Every structure is written in structure tokens, then in C-alpha cells.
Amino acid sequence: MGFLLFRLVGWRMLRWAAAVLCVGCCPLRYRKTCSGVVALEITITIRSVDSSSPKEIGLVAQRMGETLVEVLGRTRGERMYTADWLDQRVRWHLDSTEVLGAVFVAEDSGGAIVGHTIVRLEDDGQGNDIGLFATTYVTPNARKSGVAIALLDHGERWMCGHGMTEAVTYTDADNEKLQKLFEGRGYVMSVMPNDFVKLTKDLVPTAWMDA
């Protein structure tokens, strides 16, 4: 069992989140405080999406669409992909005959899914395999409580388990929230063509194996 202490700085306030991580089932308990007073406690579990549940797959797909709207604006975001395409994209990551990937969700103590991340292995174009975060999302009411960090850590653990030594994600140049999240976890940003940025981090598989 590993113990993680996350210090989260919000706008005009300081929040502390203490998390207890149990490798395997991954239950996480977060306690946020503001001015020394306990404001909220969230207990979540990071698990694989239920591949047999159209409802769960549809929810992840819907939130992929919400991510696009949040980052690009409603007009651009809604026009980029259809709901059916997004649904099929989630299912594609679960089809081992197509890709080595996974979809992880964060579930609170009441059974509500409050976040997700989608990962896969991909060729970087130079013959090297990398671990890719395709998308990451946390519901507004669960943000700044460590849920996103837990999802990233779980995704990195999955990548290390498949022998990856590099994790990457791509996002729009205007997506400052995601950029700050990844940079806070040690990712280095570089500018890409067409208003995109790339965030990269070297992984140390033995560090996860020893955790």
C-alpha cells in the first residue's frame, strides 16, 4: 500500500488532499480542507469500464464530447465528432484485436462515475512504442480533489505494466487546465503543428513495481 499526499492550489485558496492508494482494487479516499476546516471527503475506486455495459460506454463517450465542447467551444466541439463515432471509439479501445488499450473510470462511494481516462499503446512514428493518454475527464464537482491525479497514476501504472518507458498525451494549445495537470505530474510540453501541444514524461517501470 502506498501513501500519497497531494497539495492542490486553487484560486485564492489552499486545498490539501490526502489519498490512500491500495494497489489492485485502487480505493482512494480524499479529504479536502479550506482554512483548516474539512470541506469534503470523497472515496473513489479506479476500475476498468464495464465493457458489457452500453450505459457506461455511452457515458464515457458522452463525456468525451463534453471535453471537446469545454476545450474548443460548443460550435467546434459538437461538430468535430458524432455521438456514434465517440461511442465506437470507446469500444475500439476495448477491442484487443484492434489495439492494446484500456478505459479506466473513477467511481465514487455512491456508485457514480466521476471521471475517466483512456489509454493505449501506440507507435510514435519512429518505430518506438509509447503509452498514450487519449483523453482524460473529471466531472466539474469532483475536480481539484485528486481524482485526475489518481487516473493519471493508474494509467501510467498500466503503461509500465506493458513495458512502456514513455507516456504521452496531445491536446489543444488552449487547453491550459490539462496542460497544468500533466505538467504538475512531471510532463514536459512541446509545441506541435496545427495549434496542438505534446506532453511527454519518462516512465520508470521499476518504481511502480516496487510501490
Side-chain angles (χ1 to χ4, degrees), residues 10 47 62 155 197:
R47 63 170 175 81
Q62 174 191 325
V197 297

Side-chain angles (χ1 to χ4, degrees), residues 66-168:
E66 291 174 6
T67 301
L68 293 171
V69 169
E70 184 174 342
V71 174
L72 303 176
R74 185 161 300 279
T75 300
R76 284 182 63 197
E78 290 183 344
R79 288 180 179 177
M80 186 163 285
Y81 301 112
T82 66
D84 181 66
W85 187 93
L86 292 170
D87 188 274
Q88 292 302 314
R89 194 62 173 172
V90 177
R91 295 176 184 276
W92 181 77
H93 281 89
L94 300 171
D95 186 349
S96 60
T97 66
E98 292 287 339
V99 66
L100 184 52
V103 180
F104 298 115
V105 296
E107 185 179 68
D108 69 15
S109 58
I113 293 176
V114 296
H116 73 258
T117 192
I118 299 179
V119 295
R120 67 175 183 267
L121 303 190
E122 187 165 280
D123 188 296
D124 66 357
Q126 299 178 349
N128 303 309
D129 287 333
I130 59 170
L132 178 71
F133 282 97
T135 182
T136 302
Y137 176 85
V138 175
T139 58
N141 64 324
R143 293 176 185 176
K144 297 187 180 297
S145 63
V147 176
I149 291 173
L151 286 165
L152 295 193
D153 286 351
H154 199 86
E156 288 180 5
R157 182 177 291 105
W158 179 87
M159 293 172 189
C160 288
H162 287 88
M164 296 298 100
T165 58
E166 184 178 32
V168 175

Side-chain angles (χ1 to χ4, degrees), residues 24-46:
C25 58
C26 294
L28 304 162
R29 182 172 293 109
Y30 296 98
R31 182 180 291 258
K32 298 196 304 182
T33 66
C34 179
S35 302
V37 179
V38 175
L40 176 65
E41 184 174 284
I42 303 175
T43 302
I44 65 169
T45 299
I46 307 296

